[in-house]
Amino acid sequence: MSRLSIEVPGRAQTVLGGLQRDMERRINASQPGLCPVDMSLNFLRLCHAQTCGKCVPCRVGLNQLAVLIERVLDRTAALEDIDLIENTAQVIADSADCAIGYEAAHMVLKGVRGFREDYEEHVLHGRCICGLSHPVPCVSTCPAHVDIPGYVALVHEGRYEDAVRLIRKDNPFVSACAYVCEHPCESQCRRRMVDDAVNICGLKRYAVDHSQPMKAPARAEATGKTVAIIGGGPGGLTAAYYLSLMGHDVTVYEQRPKLGGMLRYGIPDYRLPQEVLDRDIAHILSAGIKVHTGVSIGKDLTMDEIQTSFDAVYIAIGAHNDKKLGLEGEEAQNVISAVALLRNVGDGEAPDFTGKRVCVVGGGNVSMDATRTALRLGAERVTCVYRRRVEDMTALAEEIEEAMAEGCQILPLQAPTRIEADAEGKVAALWTRPQLIGAYGRDGRPRPGDADAKEFRIPCDYVIVAIGQAIEAQAFEKVGVTTSRGAIQADHTSSVPGVDNVFAGGDAVSGPATVIRAVAAGKVAAANIDNYLGFDHKIRSEVEIPPAHFTNTPPCGRVNLKSHAHPGCQGDFSLVVEGMTQEEAHQESSRCLRCDHFGFGSFKGGRNTEW
């Protein structure tokens, strides 16, 4: 008789593994409008089931916490019980034998402190104060609140021009976003509970690639009011577009020779071809906007002159200045910023990196753009140095994968310490300090710290710095616009406190962010500037959405766009990612659950047809 045998998963274990994957999908797809108290209770129950039960704080305490939270949801608790929940969670966190119990209690502790008003609302009124005005999750998590189920349904019907018209109700940069949007909508797609998120961004690209050019809708009756937009990037042009449709006389002042901002001077052609961006800009300008390029505020024109000449001013200058590393040797020749590199490429003044060794410092999308651009400019070797782990990088996962496929070396857990220069004052090497990943910080990522290891020398000819961007605000500070930590201070309505008729938004206020967030800021500014000028215009679309039909939608694989990233990309700035075929677009659009109609959408308020 054999003493041992090969263990294989039993039927029960196999089924349990499948249930765990299903649960993981549902947790990842948790919607922004769900009751936070109810979600905390369910997470607590899950954590309680995972503990070993050895110590009293876990075995008894976590169960008592669940009972207390149930009383809050049942409206049998008093306000004092909220304090009891907090104190009980703190005791468990302090006395649990292992980190599993601590983390379970700490999760409740963060919740009761973070959304205490929700607990109080349940106790006092027996209701949840989560945003019932939110429509479907993908719409509410899109910063511009684009009608996503609507245009996905239109793509499915083959009505591509109508899909583009519907998107432009909330986002005039439909083509650019179809190519470079970070698609936060997909993170909350309810289809993830079934299999995987619908490829929303890919379907948008299919729509714009198969639609014909269109002029802007008819403008409202002229108001006689004038608005100046400072900055011709996505945020500024979005505000200009909607304000012009509202009937206001809009003038855009742009410092660079061409419009587009960071879309033109910060995103390489292999991601966003110039003709795609020009398509959006041509449509926006067809709304009757005046444009002055090559105008620098503070040099060619003062902010005071603009403020007194226009009824309202919107500052959307973007963050085009680079941040310094603050290291020894940073003043050496061939230390350049990623922003300057990408801007020069956009201006047609690309440097020649043929045969050079390049180090890029940073882990965001800009660093990936600089890395992949350096490869295309002929660099022999490009190394991206990042002080955290690869999984902690803020760049899109597909950008990291494509950079590595093209031959970039990513060197994680290395913090730059100094730049070595040769006898001629040129970069010779980048020195780094190995890092040890440590405790989690407030941003939800583990913090790195110096490891007990020797410094590491990376021979290189160029160092490209991609650690952040800043704004040039001196010209605006002269009229009373306040700044803090390199950003203009403005409230959530885009109004600049203490300065009459001046508004600000986008990267100038939030710091470097995504294209869709700049668009959203421009949309908010347009609505509030219109109100400031004494009007209440509405932006709407007359596109009729196809009716939803109940269909059987079993689990189905997601259609991903195909990438042509390869090591031999020197000199090749052609588009890397291929769009969907008609067959793929039809299948992918059929995966949409039409949450705008079935259950969630009708309960949460349905479709917003105007703003």
Side-chain angles (χ1 to χ4, degrees):
M1 182 175 178
S2 300
R3 294 167 51 199
L4 300 174
S5 62
I6 297 174
E7 295 184 6
V8 295
R11 176 180 174 83
Q13 190 62 40
T14 301
V15 173
L16 180 60
L19 291 174
Q20 288 174 335
R21 289 191 294 272
D22 292 342
M23 178 62 71
E24 182 180 7
R25 285 203 304 267
R26 288 181 173 271
I27 292 175
N28 289 336
S30 295
Q31 315 307 331
L34 297 179
C35 172
V37 181
D38 189 43
M39 290 299 292
S40 287
L41 175 60
N42 284 282
F43 286 148
L44 175 60
R45 286 170 173 160
L46 178 62
C47 293
H48 189 203
Q50 293 173 328
T51 66
C52 67
K54 176 183 176 181
C55 67
V56 172
C58 282
R59 185 176 67 252
V60 178
L62 293 180
N63 183 65
Q64 289 302 308
L65 268 183
V67 171
L68 290 171
I69 298 176
E70 284 176 354
R71 290 173 58 186
V72 171
L73 292 171
D74 292 339
R75 205 183 173 185
T76 59
L79 287 176
E80 294 77 16
D81 289 329
I82 302 176
D83 294 326
L84 181 58
I85 291 172
E86 182 176 358
N87 293 334
T88 302
Q90 186 65 67
V91 169
I92 297 172
D94 292 340
S95 58
D97 281 353
C98 72
I100 297 174
Y102 164 81
E103 287 294 338
H106 192 60
M107 178 197 66
V108 175
L109 201 59
K110 287 192 293 185
V112 75
R113 292 171 177 171
F115 39 82
R116 189 184 185 91
E117 63 274 12
D118 288 271
Y119 278 87
E120 293 173 350
E121 189 71 16
H122 276 286
V123 170
L124 296 175
H125 305 292
R127 65 185 183 186
C128 184
I129 61 174
C130 65
L132 292 180
S133 61
H134 283 300
V136 295
C138 59
V139 177
S140 60
T141 49
C142 171
H145 300 309
V146 173
D147 187 347
I148 292 168
Y151 81 71
V152 169
L154 289 165
V155 170
H156 190 69
E157 295 283 325
R159 295 165 54 188
Y160 310 126
E161 284 81 8
D162 282 345
V164 172
R165 288 191 187 94
L166 182 63
I167 297 170
R168 282 188 174 135
K169 174 179 72 70
D170 302 285
N171 175 10
F173 280 94
V174 53
S175 299
C177 282
Y179 280 73
V180 300
C181 185
E182 292 193 331
H183 43 79
C185 51
E186 294 181 17
S187 67
Q188 298 297 329
C189 176
R190 298 181 80 231
R191 182 75 197 200
R192 295 183 69 182
M193 298 184 185
V194 179
D195 37 52
D196 201 355
V198 174
N199 192 337
I200 297 169
C201 197
L203 290 172
K204 184 193 302 180
R205 175 170 167 182
Y206 187 84
V208 301
D209 286 347
H210 293 82
S211 62
Q212 299 299 316
M214 293 170 278
K215 290 186 178 180
R219 298 178 65 205
E221 183 179 350
T223 63
K225 299 294 184 178
T226 58
V227 182
I229 307 292
I230 302 176
L237 289 181
T238 295
Y241 176 71
Y242 292 126
L243 286 167
S244 185
L245 293 182
M246 293 171 182
H248 306 302
D249 187 4
V250 181
T251 303
V252 175
Y253 293 95
E254 167 58 39
Q255 184 181 40
R256 308 300 303 175
K258 293 183 179 180
L259 297 173
M262 293 301 287
L263 285 173
R264 187 180 301 278
Y265 297 104
I267 299 180
D269 286 2
Y270 64 82
R271 289 184 60 204
L272 178 62
Q274 297 285 304
E275 58 270 20
V276 173
L277 175 60
D278 290 337
R279 188 190 314 164
D280 281 338
I281 294 176
H283 176 86
I284 291 169
L285 296 183
S286 71
I289 301 165
K290 301 183 184 72
V291 175
H292 298 287
T293 57
V295 177
S296 180
I297 305 303
K299 296 179 182 179
D300 304 311
L301 201 61
T302 67
M303 182 60 187
D304 185 62
E305 291 174 320
I306 292 179
Q307 190 181 3
T308 55
S309 301
F310 291 87
D311 296 307
V313 182
Y314 180 52
I315 303 172
I317 55 175
H320 293 268
N321 287 358
D322 59 285
K323 290 185 177 180
K324 303 294 185 181
L325 289 167
L327 301 180
E328 175 189 344
E330 193 169 7
E331 302 305 320
Q333 294 183 45
N334 297 340
V335 177
I336 58 179
S337 74
V339 174
L341 170 67
L342 297 172
R343 182 169 57 233
N344 290 338
V345 172
D347 277 334
E349 301 174 356
D352 183 7
F353 287 161
T354 301
K356 303 298 183 182
R357 300 162 300 176
V358 178
C359 278
V360 180
V361 180
N365 283 323
V366 174
S367 72
M368 289 297 98
D369 286 339
T371 294
R372 300 176 68 187
T373 296
L375 288 169
R376 284 164 171 77
L377 295 176
E380 175 186 307
R381 187 191 70 210
V382 180
T383 303
C384 181
V385 178
Y386 187 52
R387 66 191 185 100
R388 301 178 189 261
R389 303 171 301 177
V390 173
E391 54 265 43
D392 300 320
M393 295 176 73
T394 57
L396 289 174
E398 54 263 35
E399 285 290 302
I400 299 171
E401 292 170 4
E402 290 172 3
M404 295 175 70
E406 290 172 349
C408 162
Q409 177 189 9
I410 296 181
L411 196 61
L413 292 173
Q414 295 287 339
T417 55
R418 69 183 189 276
I419 296 172
E420 177 186 331
D422 61 18
E424 299 178 359
K426 296 180 180 179
V427 170
L430 175 67
W431 285 84
T432 63
R433 168 74 67 183
Q435 300 291 288
L436 177 67
I437 206 67
Y440 280 76
R442 293 183 178 179
D443 61 355
R445 295 187 298 166
R447 294 188 300 263
D450 289 346
D452 185 14
K454 294 181 179 180
E455 285 188 334
F456 187 67
R457 184 178 186 271
I458 309 172
C460 59
D461 304 297
Y462 283 85
V463 172
I464 300 174
V465 181
I467 60 168
Q469 297 151 243
I471 64 171
E472 187 72 40
Q474 288 86 346
F476 309 107
E477 292 173 337
K478 293 180 180 179
V479 297
V481 175
T482 58
T483 60
S484 176
R485 296 185 177 181
I488 293 174
Q489 298 300 287
D491 58 30
H492 292 304
T493 66
S494 298
S495 176
V496 176
V499 185
D500 186 42
N501 82 339
V502 175
F503 297 76
D507 290 0
V509 173
S510 65
T514 60
V515 176
I516 191 62
R517 292 197 177 279
V519 167
K523 176 182 172 182
V524 169
N528 291 319
I529 289 173
D530 183 61
N531 286 155
Y532 169 80
L533 296 175
F535 299 90
D536 189 28
H537 292 99
K538 300 297 182 183
I539 299 295
R540 58 177 60 87
S541 172
E542 304 300 331
V543 175
E544 183 179 347
I545 308 300
H549 301 288
F550 182 76
T551 57
N552 181 25
T553 54
C556 176
R558 165 187 163 111
V559 173
N560 290 321
L561 302 189
K562 301 178 182 68
S563 171
H564 300 297
H566 58 86
C569 62
Q570 287 82 0
D572 184 5
F573 278 86
S574 61
L575 195 61
V576 171
V577 178
E578 178 184 331
M580 293 183 186
T581 64
Q582 182 179 5
E583 183 181 24
E584 289 173 332
H586 189 269
Q587 174 177 303
E588 190 64 13
S589 58
S590 71
R591 295 178 63 238
C592 178
L593 298 175
R594 288 304 300 270
C595 302
D596 57 318
H597 176 81
F598 294 112
F600 202 102
S602 58
F603 175 69
K604 290 287 185 179
R607 171 167 283 106
N608 293 324
T609 59
E610 63 180 27
W611 58 271

